[in-house]
Amino acid sequence: MHHLKFAPSWLRFLIIFLLTMGILFRFSNLDGKVFWQGETYVSLRISGYTINEAKQQLFNNRVIGKESFVQFQGANSEKSLNDTIMSLAKQDSQHPPLYYIIARLWMEIFGNSVTAIRSLSACISLLAFPCVYWLCRELFNVPLSVPGVAIALMAISPIHLVYAQEAQEYILWLVTILLSSASLLRAIRLEDELAEERQKPDLFAIWSIYTVTLVISLYTFIWSAFVAVAHGIYVMITAKFKPTETVRSYLLASLVGFLAFMPWITVLTGEFFQFLISADKTTAQSDLIPIFPFLLMQLSRIFFDIDLRYENSLGYLIALAFLTLVGYSIYFLCQSTNYKTWSFIITLIVVPALPLILPDLIVGSIRSSTEAYLIPSYLGIQVAVTYLLTTQLYNGSVSRRNIWHIIMALIIICGLISSKVSSQSEAWWNKGMNYGNPQVARIINQSNRPLLISDAFNNNYGNVFSLNYLLEPKVRFLLVNNQKIPKIPDGFTDVFLLNPSEAWGKTTEKKYKFKTDIVYSDNYYSIWKLAKTRNLRRRNISPNNQLSAKLSTRQTIVP
């Protein structure tokens, strides 16, 4: 790697330009995107309330307005930081509390608006740039070229932009992965240098940073345990599966890290056994996607993403092109670097993804809500592609270098276009079943005095919370409990029914003799507009059968 010196002036200018654009994209239109179910659950946890408490106060068969949701949408005076932690421990222990603690403190300072909570993620995402610089310096030991290009490509990567503008813990997890990985490589390097000089290493000074970053990562996202496993496999590979001093030091540091995480492991275990003995077990089916199309599309979204759906064949053609690039990048990496370098990147790509992919290979499909679990793989792939592009800028004939200049330019253009489109959109693929909320909100907001009726069945609770962010103050809600047939009050020009179950919809039609019109429907839920009439018009499909046919397509998403 000695031939990769400081980047030429044009490349340094390009890196600074792309970094600047990436920062601008991250803070652009933060409040313009759908605040989807996953984010509403985060804001509820930050508020300190549990789902059951929110349902008891909101789904009470009374007409309420937007102001009734405020106390469940962020920091409030009724609940404390301890309540935030306890709500996670009681109902959502698979999400460790670090991000929620930071977000609670942030919202107490900057308020509970969508812009405020998403700006936290945008600010955290900026930490990824020095962290990836550090990681590449430890991996490749070069002054600027590879680390600088890595920063530039990460700045305009659409997959990172998605999580940098979302009120969830995934962007913080990305930063902790970079930190723990770089600190591991640093610890191994320092031990090797001291061994060559025949000096006795200070294990605490060398490995303490890795231990601390591992604990931070575990308290951010539980999937960090598999990143730690990848680190362990890498340490064993570099030690050639011998019990060296470095292996013993790593095991001690990891043991201390997991002991520090033991309190939350206890909470997680307790909630799991409580679920097993509970008589109230709900089974919900997630939105499933064939696994290979899913992986192809996610690989493409690292570099190019204009929100192409899984049904669009163009997306797979683009994905195959990037698959070729990634495959060659990994091959080139293995051929041109020593095993200590390429084995780290390979383990980071493969090991954390295996627990997610292997069980789904059996059934051939995967949950669409698990894209964020592949963040370690995204990072490893980006580093491999960065190394390939950077080395090809210097190696080979002039014509060969020109070809790679063109390839790099195309990747940059793809990233810029994707980031521009993504940052200005109302909805994106990561919004799940709330992708159509902008259209639904426009339909309801057109009415003079609209009433939205819903129950808490399945994911209707999350749908109501998500829609609430887009609906105007004139909209009123009638939220019923246990699918009771509501008493619809007078005084509303239009009445809308949100995603009714088949039995509930039929009973409501029969009791009130409603004419029902579907005003919005997708693969996840539907909105019905109700009109009271004495004589229903004859249709090719009766209202009841139409309701049954449409609602048979409903799916349930678990956030």
Side-chain angles (χ1 to χ4, degrees):
M1 297 296 298
H2 62 277
H3 58 284
L4 290 181
K5 300 179 181 180
F6 281 102
S9 57
W10 69 266
L11 183 56
R12 280 179 281 175
F13 174 80
L14 179 63
I15 292 170
I16 294 172
F17 169 74
L18 295 179
L19 177 60
T20 303
M21 293 301 297
I23 294 173
L24 293 176
F25 286 137
R26 278 159 171 74
F27 289 93
S28 173
N29 196 35
L30 285 176
D31 62 342
K33 286 186 174 64
V34 172
F35 201 77
W36 74 290
Q37 276 199 30
E39 294 175 297
T40 64
Y41 280 94
V42 170
S43 62
L44 177 66
R45 298 305 177 199
I46 293 171
S47 74
Y49 286 93
T50 64
I51 294 177
N52 292 336
E53 289 173 331
K55 287 182 177 179
Q56 288 174 4
Q57 295 192 39
L58 295 177
F59 291 80
N60 54 12
N61 306 305
R62 298 176 182 175
V63 176
I64 60 175
K66 286 174 64 72
E67 64 277 359
S68 300
F69 294 85
V70 172
Q71 69 185 107
F72 307 107
Q73 294 175 335
N76 58 82
S77 58
E78 288 78 18
K79 297 285 186 176
S80 65
L81 180 62
N82 183 63
D83 293 312
T84 297
I85 300 173
M86 291 306 297
S87 69
L88 288 165
K90 290 177 182 178
Q91 287 191 336
D92 214 5
S93 61
Q94 68 269 24
H95 293 283
L98 180 59
Y99 169 80
Y100 297 83
I101 294 172
I102 297 172
R104 170 86 189 202
L105 298 175
W106 180 274
M107 296 180 78
E108 286 179 352
I109 298 173
F110 297 103
N112 295 334
S113 67
V114 172
T115 301
I117 188 172
R118 284 178 171 166
S119 65
L120 172 61
S121 295
C123 290
I124 291 174
S125 71
L126 303 184
L127 299 176
F129 302 136
C131 291
V132 76
Y133 179 87
W134 183 21
L135 176 63
C136 290
R137 283 296 302 271
E138 294 291 344
L139 272 174
F140 303 111
N141 192 28
V142 292
L144 180 61
S145 296
V146 176
V149 174
I151 290 174
L153 294 183
M154 178 174 285
I156 59 171
S157 172
I159 197 75
H160 294 311
L161 179 63
V162 163
Y163 298 116
Q165 291 192 316
E166 187 166 278
Q168 290 190 287
E169 67 266 36
Y170 300 124
I171 197 66
L172 178 60
W173 185 43
L174 181 148
V175 172
T176 64
I177 294 170
L178 290 168
L179 277 175
S180 61
S181 299
S183 59
L184 173 70
L185 295 174
R186 169 189 174 274
I188 295 174
R189 175 176 56 81
L190 291 177
E191 274 211 3
D192 291 342
E193 290 176 355
L194 292 174
E196 291 177 359
E197 298 173 1
R198 296 185 179 181
Q199 297 182 20
K200 186 176 181 180
D202 184 350
L203 297 181
F204 177 81
I206 292 175
W207 287 93
S208 58
I209 297 178
Y210 175 70
T211 303
V212 171
T213 55
L214 176 61
V215 173
I216 293 174
S217 189
L218 288 169
Y219 273 102
T220 299
F221 195 53
I222 201 167
W223 211 257
S224 299
F226 295 108
V227 178
V229 171
H231 290 167
I233 293 174
Y234 169 73
V235 171
M236 295 300 298
I237 291 174
T238 56
K240 299 180 180 179
F241 299 94
K242 297 178 181 178
T244 63
E245 184 68 27
T246 300
V247 172
R248 289 191 291 268
S249 300
Y250 164 78
L251 291 176
L252 178 61
S254 298
L255 178 61
V256 173
F258 276 94
L259 286 176
F261 188 59
M262 188 59 67
W264 200 257
I265 293 178
T266 304
V267 171
L268 185 65
T269 305
E271 186 182 356
F272 176 71
F273 281 108
Q274 185 178 3
F275 170 78
L276 290 180
I277 64 177
S278 173
D280 182 22
K281 299 185 180 68
T282 58
T283 57
Q285 182 179 355
S286 298
D287 186 25
L288 297 178
I289 297 172
I291 187 167
F292 291 111
F294 170 84
L295 294 176
L296 272 177
M297 194 65 75
Q298 289 307 117
L299 183 145
S300 175
R301 286 168 175 168
I302 300 174
F303 308 99
F304 181 68
D305 181 15
I306 54 173
D307 198 25
L308 295 176
R309 315 308 291 175
Y310 288 98
E311 305 83 26
N312 194 321
S313 58
L314 177 61
Y316 298 109
L317 294 176
I318 297 172
L320 288 175
F322 284 109
L323 177 63
T324 303
L325 174 66
V326 171
Y328 182 69
S329 299
I330 294 174
Y331 169 79
F332 181 81
L333 180 76
C334 295
Q335 292 294 314
S336 58
T337 61
N338 61 55
Y339 74 98
K340 290 187 177 181
T341 298
W342 63 258
S343 61
F344 179 85
I345 296 175
I346 297 300
T347 54
L348 186 63
I349 294 173
V350 175
V351 176
L354 283 179
L356 181 69
I357 295 174
L358 286 180
D360 294 302
L361 282 174
I362 300 174
V363 296
S365 57
I366 193 169
R367 287 187 297 149
S368 65
S369 56
T370 56
E371 299 97 346
Y373 291 68
L374 295 172
I375 283 178
S377 302
Y378 303 151
L379 288 174
I381 289 171
Q382 278 190 305
V383 171
V385 171
T386 297
Y387 176 77
L388 171 67
L389 294 176
T390 308
T391 54
Q392 297 309 306
L393 296 178
Y394 296 88
N395 295 336
S397 62
V398 175
S399 60
R400 179 183 175 88
R401 292 199 300 269
N402 289 337
I403 291 174
W404 283 103
H405 277 86
I406 294 173
I407 294 175
M408 185 172 180
L410 290 175
I411 292 174
I412 291 173
I413 292 172
C414 287
L416 289 173
I417 292 174
S418 302
S419 298
K420 173 64 176 178
V421 175
S422 175
S423 64
Q424 299 301 317
S425 66
E426 286 185 319
W428 211 245
W429 54 263
N430 63 310
K431 301 306 179 184
M433 71 185 311
N434 302 123
Y435 187 91
N437 277 14
Q439 184 176 348
V440 173
R442 282 190 286 269
I443 293 172
I444 297 176
N445 288 333
Q446 288 175 357
S447 301
N448 292 328
R449 294 188 301 278
L451 176 68
L452 179 64
I453 302 176
S454 180
D455 58 12
F457 184 69
N458 282 340
N459 287 298
N460 283 353
Y461 160 81
N463 291 331
V464 170
F465 260 75
S466 179
L467 266 176
N468 168 65
Y469 283 89
L470 297 177
L471 296 177
E472 297 177 0
K474 65 182 178 181
V475 179
R476 292 294 181 263
F477 302 83
L478 177 55
L479 307 178
V480 300
N481 191 19
N482 297 325
Q483 294 189 310
K484 293 181 180 178
I485 303 303
K487 181 180 179 181
I488 301 177
D490 297 327
F492 294 99
T493 57
D494 296 285
V495 178
F496 299 91
L497 199 62
L498 171 64
N499 206 29
S501 66
E502 182 176 350
W504 193 55
K506 284 183 177 180
T507 307
T508 303
E509 279 188 331
K510 183 177 180 181
K511 179 177 180 179
Y512 289 101
K513 300 187 183 306
F514 279 133
K515 180 185 76 174
T516 57
D517 291 316
I518 302 171
V519 294
Y520 177 83
S521 179
D522 58 24
N523 290 332
Y524 304 111
Y525 71 97
S526 56
I527 299 292
W528 293 76
K529 186 176 181 181
L530 308 182
K532 196 170 184 180
T533 182
R534 291 184 177 181
N535 297 307
L536 293 175
R537 301 176 189 174
R538 295 184 59 86
R539 303 181 183 180
N540 294 332
I541 303 178
S542 68
N544 286 346
N545 291 337
Q546 189 183 45
L547 180 64
S548 303
K550 281 290 182 183
L551 294 176
S552 65
T553 63
R554 290 195 310 144
Q555 301 181 31
T556 301
I557 303 287
V558 178

